[in-house]
Every structure is written in structure tokens, then in C-alpha cells.
Amino acid sequence: AVLKKRLVKLVVNFLFYFRTDEAEPIGALLLEHCRITKEEENVFSISFVEEPERKYCFECASEEQCQEWVEALKRASYEFMRRSLIFYRNEIQKMTGKDPLEQFGISGEARFQLAAPKH
């Protein structure tokens, strides 16, 4: 694999990457169904569950920086799923009048709390 210098920017759950001399991104990775792995002390990889052969490796300046990226990327993908869940849960409740998570015994779970209905 050839090492290329890239600037990367995380926006919600998209990781954009840029050439160092250009303002427009040359690509983006959607952090869905992906696995973020710390490979070596300052290298991490992003691979995709549906396409295991598609793997991107990133080398950071330091191990600390690498750890920060790994955590930020894992959080990004989780945050997005959590927000989607809350949104769909609201929609289903509006349509059916029932909380779709109740049957799983997690209706009171604070992490997935619904906003109070406005009267």
C-alpha cells in the first residue's frame, strides 16, 4: 500500500478526506456498518462489514492522536444510530400510539428517551 498524506475531517458520521493542497474533499467514508480497529501504535483502520476487502488505514502523528481518532469515530457511528433510533421511535409512536421499544423492556431507558409530547 502506498502512503498518501491526507487531511481528514469528521462531520457527524462522514469522514471526509482532502489532498493537503485542495479545499474540496476527494472522498468521504460513511461510518455505517464499519469496524474501527487500532492496528499499530499510531495506525488505525476502517473496514466495512459488507465489503471486508474494502479497508482504509490511517497513520497518525502519535499514539495519543490515534487513540483520539479511534474513539471519535466509534462515537460518531454510535451517536448517529442513537439519533436515528430516537427519530424512528418517535415516528412509530405517532403512527401507532405505542412505544415500539416497550416490548423489549427498554421503554424507560434514558439513553433512548423520547421528548415529552407537546399538547
Side-chain angles (χ1 to χ4, degrees):
V2 185
L3 260 183
K4 297 187 182 86
K5 198 172 173 66
R6 295 283 181 255
L7 296 173
V8 289
K9 185 177 180 181
L10 180 62
V11 181
V12 191
N13 64 333
F14 277 95
L15 187 68
F16 291 95
Y17 48 98
F18 302 77
R19 288 201 179 91
T20 49
D21 54 350
E22 287 174 26
E24 288 297 306
I26 49 174
L29 300 177
L30 174 62
L31 302 176
E32 289 289 283
H33 309 297
C34 66
R35 198 170 284 115
I36 293 136
T37 315
K38 196 165 180 297
E39 299 280 339
E40 292 158 45
E41 62 180 41
N42 57 346
V43 177
F44 68 88
S45 69
I46 300 174
S47 55
F48 293 83
V49 178
E50 276 100 36
E51 312 164 69
E53 68 289 338
R54 211 175 128 214
K55 185 175 177 179
Y56 298 82
C57 283
F58 295 87
E59 190 176 331
C60 304
S62 67
E63 181 160 13
E64 291 75 42
Q65 196 186 52
C66 183
Q67 201 53 53
E68 278 172 31
W69 271 106
V70 168
E71 282 162 26
L73 295 170
K74 285 183 175 170
R75 237 189 347 259
S77 142
Y78 169 78
E79 256 316 298
F80 183 78
M81 287 189 312
R82 184 178 153 280
R83 273 187 232 157
S84 303
L85 174 65
I86 291 171
F87 171 77
Y88 290 119
R89 185 179 176 188
N90 264 318
E91 293 302 298
I92 293 168
Q93 190 155 25
K94 270 187 235 159
M95 287 177 340
T96 65
K98 281 217 279 294
D99 180 347
L101 294 187
E102 224 160 66
Q103 57 175 322
F104 301 110
I106 50 176
S107 58
E109 236 224 88
R111 280 191 311 185
F112 305 121
Q113 217 54 66
L114 293 166
K118 291 169 186 66
H119 294 294

